[in-house]
Amino acid sequence: MCGIVGYVGTRKAVPIILDGLRRLEYRGYDSAGLAVLDAQQQLSIRRASGKLRNLEEVIRLNPVEGAFGIGHTRWATHGRPTEENAHPHRDCKGDLVVVHNGIVENYLQLKSDLEAQGHRFVTETDTEVIAHLIEKSLNGNLETAVRAAVKQLSGVFALSVISRSDPNKIVAVRNGPPVVIGLGEGEYFVASDVPAILNHTRDMFFLADGDVAVLTAEGVHLTDFDGRPIRRQVSHILWDPIMAEKGGYKHFMLKEIFEQPRAVRDTLLGRVGQESGRIFLDEMNIQPKDFPQFRSLRIVACGTSWHAALAGKFMIEKYARIPVEVDYGSEFRYRDPIVDASVLTVVISQSGETADTLAAQREAKSKGSKTLAICNVVGSMITREAAGTLLTHAGPEIGVASTKAFTCQLTALFILAMYLGQTRGVLSPEQSLVLVQELLHLPAKMETVLSDEAVYEDLVRILFRATDFLFLGRGVHFPIALEGALKLKEISYIHAEGYPAGEMKHGPNALIDEKLPVVVLAAYDPADENGRLRYEKTLSNIQEVKAREGRVIAIANQGDSDVRKVADHVITIPHTIEQLLPILEIVPLQLLAYHIAVRRGCDVDQPRNLAKSVTVE
């Protein structure tokens, strides 16, 4: 979850590294540091606790220059977030430095052994052990010493290492957390994520587990941990660097909320036949004839992606008539799941590097299940290990609280549901055409929801002092209640719970009083018989809340006069079919959470104790 940036070339390294760290600060913001080798072959290190601006101030007061170096922004796992524990970490002689993302599980035993051999430790971190292990084996060739060191480590780790005894070289290693290598002309980059180096190159490749990359001004050399040469496929990243900027918005999160219509359009592009209603998925190594052979689906994800998976279950079961189970990635492999070749396992991850989801994918594959990835990052580990990939086209998502990635995941799941229904012969051309027309109108309807931002100003004045929230939904709307509660928790630090509306009588009614805001998802498709029934039951839930003095904020259809009679506040969304309503109704919940967090003075883009990509368990 930490951020790593490295540069080797002919330009000044410090501005490039700082710029990359700024773009990776969503991965960690407890402390930051960098190291460069200057023209006199002196290894200079600058570090600071807290946000990256503190490191920038340290460098302003005590400048450093060099043409190659590495940097790090930290999300603490071992040791307090202090300057002492900030990366890079040194060996005893100050001859080499290491930056590290991950957890070394056997560091205590290694540290004890190294101390017995005379090594001196000055921090509380597991990373410092790595520096001393490399020092122990370093005899002129840095990559040889790094290979010897990593073979002694247990756990997950991404490393970048430089040394003044083997200068003008960065050695990068992956065993778990992501490492991306950027290819320029006479200059090369290493980073934890694409946005860090997108301003400098779009030609990149991800290391696989067990890869060692040696970066010099002459190029990049790849081997495995045993020194055997290997090759990786280079990808040309289509993201525009401007997409990773705020573009005039106060926060990345707000910008990304407003990018959702564009992101959904891009995810649909080339995949839906407007005239035929057919779905085209060309990124599959699973043949269309294979899909009818699957007896069930298993969807595995974490966090916001898990909420998308829950909504996807409703979509797939409705349109493909195949049973679906949804699992947390963090729990899947610990219960000996029953999957085999008859089960298609769908893994969902924005980054494609989520450690728990990746481990679940490998567990499913080991049991004979084909895996299909829904992911936002081309070339990421999950996509490389999947039999098929459904790429979302959200573009870079910088805000820690996911927004546009979520709506693109919902869109991708709806497309997959239709594709499964068509390949299994249960979704007719006539039905498909209706669904496709609704899909294609969805981005414009999202723009309608976004156009009424003023409605939140009055709401926020009333709600921002609340200490608890309840979010209610039925059917496919229940996962959106969970996601709405998560967004509020993540960025405003208000306790919030999502609950199935039908379960209110089984406990939560006891919580309702005049201090509790209750957000109710009351939108529905009048043409859907079950949707209409759910709506009527939801109206009854609103009346239950009002009978107990609760304050109701309803998300409802445009023109719904019945909801306005019983709710205190109503936010309306356009009509669409029941299974697509989640993509519209999450937008006001995102905006509500955002405006409440801003009013409370919270750091919206970088909420406390959270990082964007969870690449360690």
Side-chain angles (χ1 to χ4, degrees):
M1 288 184 282
C2 305
I4 292 172
V5 181
Y7 171 78
V8 58
T10 57
R11 292 190 281 166
K12 292 181 178 180
V14 171
I16 294 171
I17 293 169
L18 285 175
D19 179 66
L21 292 179
R22 199 173 298 112
R23 298 171 192 278
L24 288 184
E25 201 173 7
Y26 62 88
R27 296 180 64 92
Y29 30 87
D30 294 334
S31 58
L34 59 75
V36 295
L37 203 68
D38 62 23
Q40 288 72 46
Q41 302 298 298
Q42 295 300 309
L43 196 56
S44 300
I45 300 172
R46 302 289 184 268
R47 304 185 301 185
S49 61
K51 295 291 184 73
L52 183 62
R53 59 178 174 267
N54 297 341
L55 174 63
E56 292 172 327
E57 180 64 11
V58 167
I59 293 171
R60 188 186 69 81
L61 296 173
N62 191 6
V64 60
E65 289 189 0
F68 88 104
I70 53 178
H72 187 270
T73 181
R74 183 173 185 240
W75 192 82
T77 54
H78 288 73
R80 294 163 295 165
T82 62
E83 180 183 347
E84 177 186 74
N85 290 328
H87 298 215
H89 288 294
R90 292 166 278 204
D91 64 335
C92 292
K93 305 171 190 173
D95 183 62
L96 65 91
V97 293
V98 177
V99 292
H100 166 223
N101 178 14
I103 297 173
V104 179
E105 294 172 352
N106 61 336
Y107 87 101
L108 288 174
Q109 182 60 53
L110 290 171
K111 184 175 182 178
S112 176
D113 294 344
L114 287 162
E115 285 176 327
Q117 297 165 23
H119 289 263
R120 302 182 309 279
F121 288 81
V122 296
T123 78
E124 304 168 317
T125 71
D126 55 341
T127 304
E128 192 180 6
V129 164
I130 303 170
H132 290 277
L133 284 175
I134 297 170
E135 175 191 18
K136 182 180 171 183
S137 301
L138 184 58
N139 187 20
N141 186 280
L142 182 60
E143 59 264 38
T144 300
V146 170
R147 288 194 201 98
V150 296
K151 289 181 180 178
Q152 301 174 62
L153 302 178
S154 297
V156 293
F157 46 86
L159 310 175
S160 286
V161 188
I162 61 174
S163 171
R164 65 183 179 188
S165 66
D166 192 4
N168 303 312
K169 176 188 293 181
I170 300 173
V171 179
V173 177
R174 172 176 180 159
N175 187 53
V179 178
V180 61
I181 305 296
L183 310 178
E185 293 188 10
E187 58 183 9
Y188 299 89
F189 309 83
V190 59
S192 295
D193 204 353
V194 170
I197 55 178
L198 197 57
N199 265 355
H200 307 289
T201 180
R202 294 194 191 183
D203 294 323
M204 309 179 191
F205 63 87
F206 281 86
L207 298 187
D209 285 351
D211 285 2
V212 178
V214 180
L215 289 72
T216 67
E218 285 71 48
V220 180
H221 179 60
L222 285 178
T223 66
D224 62 16
F225 281 7
D226 293 318
R228 292 184 291 263
I230 53 177
R231 294 177 63 86
R232 295 288 170 229
Q233 181 67 42
V234 176
S235 298
H236 184 72
I237 305 299
L238 298 178
W239 294 350
D240 187 326
I242 296 173
M243 295 171 71
E245 303 290 346
K246 286 184 184 175
Y249 288 91
K250 186 177 180 180
H251 297 97
F252 279 111
M253 182 180 178
L254 186 61
K255 171 179 176 276
E256 288 158 3
I257 289 171
F258 276 83
E259 286 179 335
Q260 289 177 115
R262 188 275 310 158
V264 168
R265 281 192 188 98
D266 288 352
T267 300
L268 294 173
L269 195 63
R271 289 171 169 158
V272 295
Q274 185 170 355
E275 302 298 329
S276 65
R278 298 295 300 175
I279 300 297
F280 304 99
L281 298 182
D282 300 326
E283 305 143 278
M284 302 289 178
N285 290 327
I286 309 171
Q287 297 300 313
K289 62 180 176 59
D290 294 334
F291 283 95
Q293 310 305 316
F294 297 119
R295 296 204 308 267
S296 65
L297 263 71
R298 193 67 55 88
I299 311 180
V300 183
C302 297
T304 284
S305 297
W306 185 74
H307 297 155
L310 288 176
K313 171 184 169 71
F314 286 91
M315 298 172 183
I316 293 168
E317 290 189 341
K318 180 172 181 63
Y319 296 126
R321 307 309 298 162
I322 182 172
V324 179
E325 289 187 41
V326 177
D327 275 278
Y328 282 110
S330 55
E331 296 290 333
F332 183 75
R333 65 190 172 123
Y334 296 111
R335 63 177 182 81
D336 192 17
I338 302 171
V339 294
D340 56 26
S342 70
V343 178
L344 175 63
T345 301
V346 179
V347 289
I348 308 176
S349 168
Q350 187 281 135
S351 67
E353 303 288 350
T354 308
D356 290 319
T357 307
L358 184 56
Q361 179 184 33
R362 291 169 176 167
E363 177 75 11
K365 288 174 66 178
S366 73
K367 294 176 178 290
S369 174
K370 286 187 182 293
T371 66
L372 190 157
I374 295 176
C375 182
N376 193 42
V377 181
V378 63
S380 58
M381 182 67 83
I382 278 174
T383 67
R384 294 205 305 273
E385 297 201 4
T389 298
L390 213 173
L391 282 171
T392 56
H393 294 288
E397 188 177 67
I398 307 302
V400 167
S402 182
T403 52
K404 62 179 180 174
F406 177 67
T407 48
C408 287
Q409 287 168 352
L410 292 174
T411 304
L413 284 160
F414 191 90
I415 291 171
L416 178 62
M418 286 190 64
Y419 185 77
L420 286 165
Q422 291 173 358
T423 56
R424 293 171 59 82
V426 297
L427 193 61
S428 72
E430 294 76 19
Q431 291 172 307
S432 295
L433 194 57
V434 170
L435 298 181
V436 162
Q437 293 306 313
E438 289 290 341
L439 258 180
L440 293 175
H441 286 113
L442 200 60
K445 293 179 179 180
M446 296 176 78
E447 288 167 351
T448 299
V449 178
L450 289 165
S451 67
D452 191 19
E453 197 179 358
V455 68
Y456 303 95
E457 294 178 9
D458 293 335
L459 267 178
V460 165
R461 280 195 291 270
I462 299 166
L463 301 175
F464 81 99
R465 288 192 177 90
T467 56
D468 301 274
F469 267 73
L470 195 59
F471 289 73
L472 302 178
R474 288 175 178 266
V476 73
H477 310 283
F478 166 56
I480 308 308
L482 291 173
E483 177 62 11
L486 177 61
K487 287 285 96 60
L488 191 66
K489 281 185 281 196
E490 284 179 312
I491 64 172
S492 74
Y493 318 140
I494 295 174
H495 173 255
E497 294 296 331
Y499 228 82
E503 292 294 303
M504 289 295 291
K505 294 184 180 70
H506 298 277
N509 274 345
L511 298 173
I512 297 173
D513 59 21
E514 69 281 357
K515 297 178 181 178
L516 182 70
V518 181
V519 180
V520 181
L521 298 173
Y524 73 106
D525 176 8
D528 185 299
E529 184 178 342
N530 288 327
R532 177 74 196 183
L533 179 61
R534 281 192 291 269
Y535 168 74
E536 291 170 353
K537 298 291 186 183
T538 302
L539 284 181
S540 297
N541 292 127
I542 293 175
Q543 289 165 339
E544 287 177 18
V545 173
K546 293 305 299 174
R548 291 159 179 81
E549 305 299 327
R551 184 188 300 275
V552 174
I553 303 95
I555 311 298
N557 293 348
Q558 290 174 344
D560 188 335
S561 57
D562 291 335
V563 166
R564 290 192 180 276
K565 292 174 184 175
V566 290
D568 297 283
H569 310 279
V570 179
I571 303 172
T572 61
I573 62 174
H575 292 264
T576 189
I577 57 176
E578 188 80 9
Q579 306 301 321
L580 288 178
L581 280 168
I583 301 174
L584 296 179
E585 61 195 5
I586 188 55
V587 176
L589 300 189
Q590 294 167 347
L591 286 168
L592 185 64
Y594 170 81
H595 286 288
I596 289 174
V598 169
R599 184 66 182 262
R600 289 167 64 90
C602 300
D603 190 338
V604 173
D605 286 335
Q606 298 173 359
R608 68 190 183 200
N609 302 331
L610 299 176
K612 182 67 178 173
S613 302
V614 184
T615 57
V616 296
E617 288 192 70

